[in-house]
């Protein structure tokens, strides 16, 4: 059985977050020992494959399990997540 007593917390980088988003992520992920790191600056955007490449670069730079950002385009907003363990990007439209 895996002993989690000495496991390092996971880090999730949130790009240019609002205070309510940072607070909600921190509260909802606290039970899983996830550290939220707010990073201000440009996000990876809303196009593939550039978003995946930039998400991967940011995950490596910040030693993060995931990178999260919100994009805006003429068709609306989307929530993007780069998952470094799966080396993949997921995007979901935001209402």
């Amino acid at each position: 059985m895996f002993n989690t007593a000495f496991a390092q917390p996971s880090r999730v980088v949130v790009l240019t977050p609002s205070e309510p988003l940072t607070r909600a992520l921190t509260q909802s992920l606290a039970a899983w020992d996830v550290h939220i790191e707010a990073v201000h600056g440009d996000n990876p955007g809303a196009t593939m494959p550039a978003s995946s490449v930039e998400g991967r670069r940011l995950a490596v730079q910040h030693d993060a399990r995931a990178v999260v950002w919100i994009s805006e385009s003429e068709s609306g907003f989307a929530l993007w997540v780069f998952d470094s363990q799966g080396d993949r990007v997921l995007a979901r439209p935001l209402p």
Side-chain angles (χ1 to χ4, degrees), residues 5-91:
F6 299 104
Q8 294 294 321
S10 294
R11 176 176 293 140
V12 173
V13 169
V14 182
L15 298 170
T16 315
S18 65
E19 181 59 34
L21 176 60
T22 302
R23 188 172 43 254
L25 287 170
T26 300
Q27 290 172 352
S28 62
L29 297 175
W32 289 276
D33 199 19
V34 174
H35 172 73
I36 304 299
E37 181 179 340
V39 174
H40 296 278
D42 294 335
N43 70 43
T47 61
M48 291 295 283
S51 294
S52 180
V53 171
E54 184 63 8
R56 182 180 302 110
R57 184 192 70 75
L58 288 164
V60 169
Q61 177 184 347
H62 294 278
D63 191 27
R65 168 71 174 80
V67 178
V68 177
W69 68 96
I70 295 175
S71 69
E72 180 181 5
S73 70
E74 62 275 354
S75 60
F77 294 89
L79 174 69
W80 293 72
V81 178
F82 175 80
D83 169 16
S84 63
Q85 283 188 324
D87 193 34
R88 64 185 176 153
V89 173
L90 304 169

